[in-house]
């Protein structure tokens, strides 16, 4: 379990250490120079509240506060002699008095709760325990017992194990409370090991998810060979039960005809450069070389929050210059207006500082009676917790647009990275990057008539989150323009694990009102794409949500009844498609080309459904989405609904 502890902290606490500088050598001086920005330029000044001079009572490099003085030794103190070269923890390099900080205790407690372990202090005794919680260190956790002569005594867990089994190697490491919750059974971390194998019910970390995707991502040809091999190994031709029922399974894959829909052309803005604004996608991608944004956004001000290590402060002025040169000069060429320098630059250490820094920025703009169009947040490394904290403060608390940027991506950014940042910032500021050039079908059913395209999905809590009574979250997205390219959203919280949308009527009504305010017209057609519905829920969800959509229309006007098309999109299915001719494949993964559509052979003989692969498979085997048209007042034929869906 000590190795497990090291792995967990190396993964989940590494970004925290990078952001806070926790355990890193600190300057000897009690105050630190901080960059304080003025409007249009940077000034040198004393580090204030947003600087690093009040970094806390950290110890100097190579020094540590003695035990018993009120300050516990840092988990990354003692000259960092337990670190690997990459800053990670390893059991063989932990010193005897090594202990965890409060932040690390919290991380480890979440990781070990519910895990099954075995104890190793008694050879031959095999028993599996379930971890209830993480407790304090073995040298501090006490319990009451009786001596051999019947006298009551109080001992620490470390003392007990020292008398019975020998001294602990790391007596300050936390203990595990295991077994029945009403019994006080405590094991030191070092005498426990994970029971293997066991099911992992918690949410996977980013690193674990990436590892699973990498292991499962095999190209189309390898996937086809694996499927054929498994079919051969299953021995269907010799199965006595299949023979008894007169069933046979063909070892060959089912062949059917498919067609590839031509991709819609992409239209950019008319800029000063002599280039064709119409771009034809190839293999699901297109280049933005020398193109101008279709509707460029204009920003009058922006600020910056830098969550970087103190040793990187000297790089921030050059960082902001590089940000302008590499990103905003590119933005100017693409038509987007942006100030040369940020109005404010705030420095922070960790996610606890984020809310305070956003409040300071909002208050300073309020005092000057100006608006902040954007806050750029510089992150030291990828960290989902830190990212969510930034988005909560910007989107939910202060209502200020934010753009997170990794420090390495700005200081050493490529042209593709710059273009990607420009596209994100332009959309967040209300611009439109590009639009599709409508073909005959799209013009007839989407452009020529005001059409509301709605997307609906519900996110449910995991098993671990269900026990915490975390609700489900429903999102409704719809366009607010005629193109359609600009979208607005409604997010609603509802009872956990409920698939149908509870507040759909209110959300659709708000989307209809937003469309009318922006265009001055009512939608004459509504097309709904619904995600996350299984076939067993079709009837229930269709009945409730169609009724909610119609009620929302009639609330606005009793005689307002636009035709509704309701399409369910399924991504979790087991159908895989492979090109029969190798020359038809695309990309290194040799997948089916984008736009591949199948509506015969493997579809329902009764319903109106089809498969459509609308993306380019970069890695792994492409999985086409399956579309079920459950309701269609507009009377689309297969070609029309497929073309609209792909566009």
């Amino acid at each position: 379990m000590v190795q497990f502890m090291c792995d967990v902290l190396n993964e989940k606490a590494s970004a925290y250490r990078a952001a806070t500088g926790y355990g890193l050598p600190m300057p000897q001086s009690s105050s630190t120079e901080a960059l304080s920005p003025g409007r249009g330029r940077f000034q040198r000044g004393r580090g204030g509240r947003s600087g690093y001079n009040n970094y806390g009572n950290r110890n100097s490099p190579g020094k540590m506060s003695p035990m018993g003085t009120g300050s516990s030794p840092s988990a990354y103190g003692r000259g960092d002699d337990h670190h690997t070269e990459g800053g990670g923890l390893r059991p063989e390099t932990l010193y005897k008095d090594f202990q965890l900080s409060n932040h690390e205790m919290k991380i480890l407690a979440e990781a070990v709760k519910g895990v099954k372990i075995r104890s190793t202090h008694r050879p031959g005794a095999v028993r599996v325990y379930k971890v209830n919680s993480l407790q304090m260190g073995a040298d501090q956790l006490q319990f009451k017992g009786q001596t051999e002569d019947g006298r009551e005594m109080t001992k620490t867990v470390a003392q007990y194990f020292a008398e019975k089994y020998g001294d602990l190697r790391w007596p300050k490491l936390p203990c595990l409370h295991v077994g029945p919750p009403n019994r006080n059974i405590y094991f030191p971390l070092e005498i426990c090991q994970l029971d293997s194998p066991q099911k992992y019910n918690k949410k996977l970390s980013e690193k674990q998810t990436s590892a699973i995707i990498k292991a499962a991502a095999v190209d189309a040809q390898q996937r086809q060979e694996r499927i054929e091999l498994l079919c051969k190994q299953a021995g269907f031709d010799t199965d006595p039960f299949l023979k008894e029922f007169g069933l046979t399974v063909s070892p060959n894959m089912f062949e059917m005809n498919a067609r590839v829909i031509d991709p819609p052309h992409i239209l950019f803005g008319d800029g000063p450069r002599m280039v064709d604004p119409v771009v034809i996608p190839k293999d699901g991608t297109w280049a933005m070389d020398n193109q101008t944004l279709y509707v460029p956004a204009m920003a009058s001000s922006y600020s910056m929050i830098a969550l970087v290590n103190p040793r990187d402060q000297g790089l921030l002025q050059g960082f902001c210059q590089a940000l302008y040169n590499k990103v905003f000069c590119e933005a100017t060429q693409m038509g987007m207006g942006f100030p040369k320098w940020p109005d404010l630059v705030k420095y922070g250490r960790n996610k606890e500082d984020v809310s305070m820094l956003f409040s300071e920025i909002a208050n300073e703009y309020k005092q000057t009676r100006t608006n902040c169009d954007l806050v750029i947040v510089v992150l030291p490394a990828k960290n989902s917790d830190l990212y969510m904290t930034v988005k909560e403060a910007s989107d939910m608390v202060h209502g200020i647009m934010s753009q997170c940027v990794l420090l390495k991506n700005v200081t050493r950014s490529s042209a593709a990275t710059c273009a990607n940042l420009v596209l994100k910032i332009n959309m967040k500021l209300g611009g439109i990057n590009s639009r599709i050039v409508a073909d005959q079908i799209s013009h007839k059913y989407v452009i020529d008539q005001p059409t509301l395209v709605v997307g609906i999905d519900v996110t449910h809590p995991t098993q671990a989150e269900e026990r915490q009574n975390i609700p489900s979250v429903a999102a409704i997205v719809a366009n607010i323009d005629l193109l359609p390219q600009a979208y607005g959203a409604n997010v609603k919280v509802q009872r956990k694990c409920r698939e149908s949308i509870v507040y759909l009527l209110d959300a659709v009504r708000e989307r209809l009102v937003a469309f009318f305010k922006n265009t001055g017209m009512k939608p004459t057609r509504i097309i709904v794409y619904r995600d996350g519905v299984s076939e067993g829920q079709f009837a229930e969800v269709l009945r409730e949500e169609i009724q909610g959509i119609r009620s929302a229309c009639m609330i606005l006007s009793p005689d307002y009844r636009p035709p509704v098309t309701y399409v369910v999109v399924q991504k979790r299915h087991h159908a895989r498609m492979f090109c029969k001719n190798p020359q038809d494949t695309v990309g290194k993964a040799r997948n089916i080309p984008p736009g591949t559509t199948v509506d015969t052979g493997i579809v329902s003989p009764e319903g109106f459904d089809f498969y459509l692969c609308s993306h380019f498979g970069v890695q792994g085997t492409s999985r086409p989405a399956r579309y079920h048209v459950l309701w269609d007042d507009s009377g689309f034929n297969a070609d029309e609904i497929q073309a609209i869906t792909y566009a």
Side-chain angles (χ1 to χ4, degrees):
M1 286 297 290
V2 177
Q3 180 64 57
F4 177 78
M5 175 198 73
C6 293
D7 293 340
V8 169
L9 296 182
N10 286 338
E11 179 178 350
K12 295 190 176 182
S14 58
Y16 168 80
R17 296 197 301 268
T20 61
Y22 192 42
L24 297 172
M26 296 298 299
Q28 296 285 352
S29 175
S30 60
S31 63
T32 306
E33 290 287 330
L35 288 173
S36 58
R39 184 175 292 272
R41 62 191 180 92
F42 280 87
Q43 301 170 342
R44 298 292 295 183
R46 303 299 297 175
R49 183 179 180 185
S50 59
Y52 281 103
N53 58 332
N54 297 322
Y55 197 67
N57 295 324
R58 301 292 188 197
N59 301 312
S60 300
K63 298 181 180 180
M64 186 180 73
S65 299
M67 291 294 293
T69 61
S71 58
S72 61
S74 164
Y76 304 98
R78 291 217 168 173
D80 293 337
D81 57 354
H82 62 280
H83 277 270
T84 63
E85 292 183 0
L89 300 177
R90 294 183 303 172
E92 59 270 20
T93 57
L94 300 181
Y95 54 86
K96 182 177 178 62
D97 292 334
F98 174 82
Q99 68 183 79
L100 303 182
S101 67
N102 292 335
H103 178 77
E104 292 164 328
M105 287 285 288
K106 183 178 179 181
I107 291 176
L108 185 60
E110 294 176 356
V112 300
K113 186 175 181 180
V115 171
K116 295 179 181 179
I117 58 99
R118 297 171 182 260
S119 61
T120 60
H121 62 293
R122 290 188 294 179
V126 179
R127 184 176 175 182
V128 178
Y129 298 88
K130 184 177 180 180
V131 178
N132 301 315
S133 62
L134 190 71
Q135 300 294 323
M136 61 181 68
D139 64 337
Q140 297 179 352
L141 184 60
Q142 297 180 338
F143 66 94
K144 293 183 179 180
Q146 290 184 345
T147 60
E148 295 180 355
D149 55 1
R151 291 183 295 107
E152 289 190 358
M153 58 86 183
T154 301
K155 287 185 178 181
T156 65
V157 174
Q159 291 173 342
Y160 174 81
F161 273 85
E163 295 175 1
K164 291 283 187 178
Y165 309 104
D167 292 337
L168 295 176
R169 184 177 178 183
W170 301 289
K172 295 185 180 298
L173 285 184
C175 293
L176 300 177
H177 179 207
V178 301
N182 58 345
R183 295 188 59 188
N184 297 327
I185 304 177
Y186 303 107
F187 286 156
L189 202 65
E190 64 183 76
I191 63 105
C192 301
Q193 66 179 16
L194 286 173
D195 182 46
S196 181
Q198 60 179 291
K199 184 179 179 181
Y200 188 79
N201 292 322
K202 300 180 182 179
K203 183 179 180 181
L204 297 179
S205 65
E206 295 178 0
K207 185 177 180 180
Q208 292 169 333
T209 303
S210 177
I212 288 180
I213 293 175
K214 186 176 181 180
V218 296
D219 63 42
Q221 182 176 347
Q222 290 178 322
R223 177 77 64 183
Q224 182 177 0
E225 292 173 353
R226 287 186 183 183
I227 294 173
E228 292 174 342
L229 179 61
L230 289 174
C231 184
K232 184 181 297 184
Q233 292 175 346
F236 293 124
D237 53 343
T238 59
D239 189 287
F241 296 99
L242 292 179
K243 288 183 178 180
E244 187 69 23
F245 285 93
L247 300 176
T248 58
V249 178
S250 173
N252 301 319
M253 289 194 174
F254 184 81
E255 295 185 7
M256 67 279 185
N257 293 323
R259 63 191 183 94
V260 179
I261 303 176
D262 293 332
H265 296 182
I266 307 298
L267 176 64
F268 289 94
D270 294 326
R273 308 169 188 175
M274 302 301 294
V275 294
D276 187 358
V278 177
V279 178
I280 302 176
K282 182 180 180 181
D283 293 336
T285 62
W286 60 91
M288 286 193 58
D289 299 338
N290 299 320
Q291 294 292 347
T292 302
L293 299 171
Y294 185 75
V295 179
M298 297 296 168
S300 59
S301 63
Y302 82 100
S303 293
M304 181 180 297
I305 293 176
L307 302 177
V308 297
N309 193 276
R311 60 186 177 185
D312 293 327
Q313 285 193 32
L315 303 176
L316 287 180
Q317 185 172 358
F319 160 76
C320 290
Q321 183 66 48
L323 188 65
Y324 175 76
N325 291 339
K326 294 186 178 182
V327 179
F328 297 134
C329 282
E330 181 73 16
T332 304
Q333 295 172 10
M334 297 174 69
M336 188 172 72
F338 215 90
K340 184 174 182 179
W341 296 105
D343 295 333
L344 301 170
V345 176
K346 300 287 184 178
Y347 305 110
R349 297 172 292 178
N350 49 44
K351 69 177 185 179
E352 284 74 20
D353 294 337
V354 169
S355 179
M356 177 192 69
L357 297 178
F358 267 99
S359 297
E360 291 181 1
I361 290 175
N363 291 335
E364 293 192 35
Y365 275 96
K366 186 177 180 180
Q367 292 174 2
T368 58
R369 297 182 179 181
T370 56
N371 295 324
C372 179
D373 295 324
L374 180 73
V375 175
I376 296 178
V377 183
V378 183
L379 304 179
K382 285 187 177 180
N383 185 336
S384 58
D385 291 339
L386 184 58
Y387 178 82
M388 294 304 296
T389 303
V390 170
K391 292 303 177 181
E392 179 183 3
S394 63
D395 296 346
M396 300 178 63
V397 178
H398 298 286
I400 304 175
M401 289 294 177
S402 62
Q403 176 62 52
C404 295
V405 185
L406 294 179
L407 184 61
K408 65 175 184 179
N409 287 341
V410 177
T411 55
R412 297 187 299 272
S413 59
S414 62
T417 301
C418 294
N420 190 30
L421 280 174
V422 171
L423 295 177
K424 291 182 178 180
I425 293 174
N426 186 63
M427 290 293 291
K428 291 179 179 180
L429 295 179
I432 298 177
N433 296 335
S434 61
R435 56 160 292 191
I436 62 170
V437 179
D439 56 12
Q440 183 178 1
I441 295 177
S442 299
H443 252 300
K444 179 180 178 181
Y445 293 106
V446 180
I447 305 298
D448 291 345
Q449 300 183 36
T451 302
L452 188 72
V453 182
V454 184
I456 303 175
D457 193 12
V458 181
T459 300
H460 300 293
T462 62
Q463 290 183 355
E465 292 172 339
E466 279 187 39
R467 292 191 289 268
Q468 303 174 14
N469 291 324
I470 294 179
S472 296
V473 179
I476 299 92
V477 182
N479 59 299
I480 58 175
D481 63 346
L482 299 174
L483 295 177
Q485 292 296 322
Y487 288 81
N490 291 77
V491 179
K492 304 288 185 179
V493 176
Q494 61 186 39
R495 180 168 56 86
K496 62 180 180 181
C497 299
R498 180 183 174 90
E499 184 57 45
S500 56
I501 311 295
V502 177
Y503 304 102
L504 182 64
L505 187 151
D506 296 334
V508 173
R509 180 179 57 82
E510 292 179 23
R511 293 297 97 221
L512 289 169
V513 171
F515 185 92
F516 180 78
K517 287 182 177 180
N518 196 54
T519 63
M521 293 182 286
K522 295 180 182 179
T524 59
R525 179 181 289 108
I526 298 177
I527 302 176
V528 180
Y529 289 95
R530 179 65 156 90
D531 190 16
V533 181
S534 62
E535 294 188 22
Q537 298 172 311
F538 280 178
E540 175 190 355
V541 173
L542 177 65
R543 180 180 64 254
E544 295 185 10
E545 296 188 0
I546 285 290
Q547 181 180 356
I549 294 171
R550 294 208 180 282
S551 299
C553 296
M554 295 179 66
I555 286 177
L556 299 178
S557 177
D559 58 348
Y560 179 49
R561 299 183 181 182
V564 177
T565 300
Y566 190 92
V567 184
V568 169
V569 186
Q570 290 181 330
K571 302 185 296 293
R572 296 182 180 180
H573 56 76
H574 299 289
R576 298 295 183 273
M577 300 179 187
F578 310 96
C579 293
K580 183 177 181 180
N581 299 321
Q583 60 269 24
D584 293 334
T585 62
V586 295
K588 294 181 179 179
R590 293 170 285 189
N591 278 301
I592 57 178
T596 300
T597 307
V598 174
D599 53 12
T600 60
I602 59 173
V603 296
S604 172
E606 300 176 352
F608 182 4
D609 62 323
F610 59 92
Y611 290 89
L612 171 61
C613 179
S614 57
H615 65 282
F616 177 80
V618 178
Q619 67 173 357
T621 304
S622 295
R623 180 189 302 179
R626 187 178 185 181
Y627 298 84
H628 296 264
V629 184
L630 300 185
W631 191 271
D632 184 21
D633 291 331
S634 297
F636 292 121
N637 60 37
D639 292 340
E640 291 169 344
I641 191 64
Q642 290 167 10
I644 292 173
T645 300
Y646 187 44

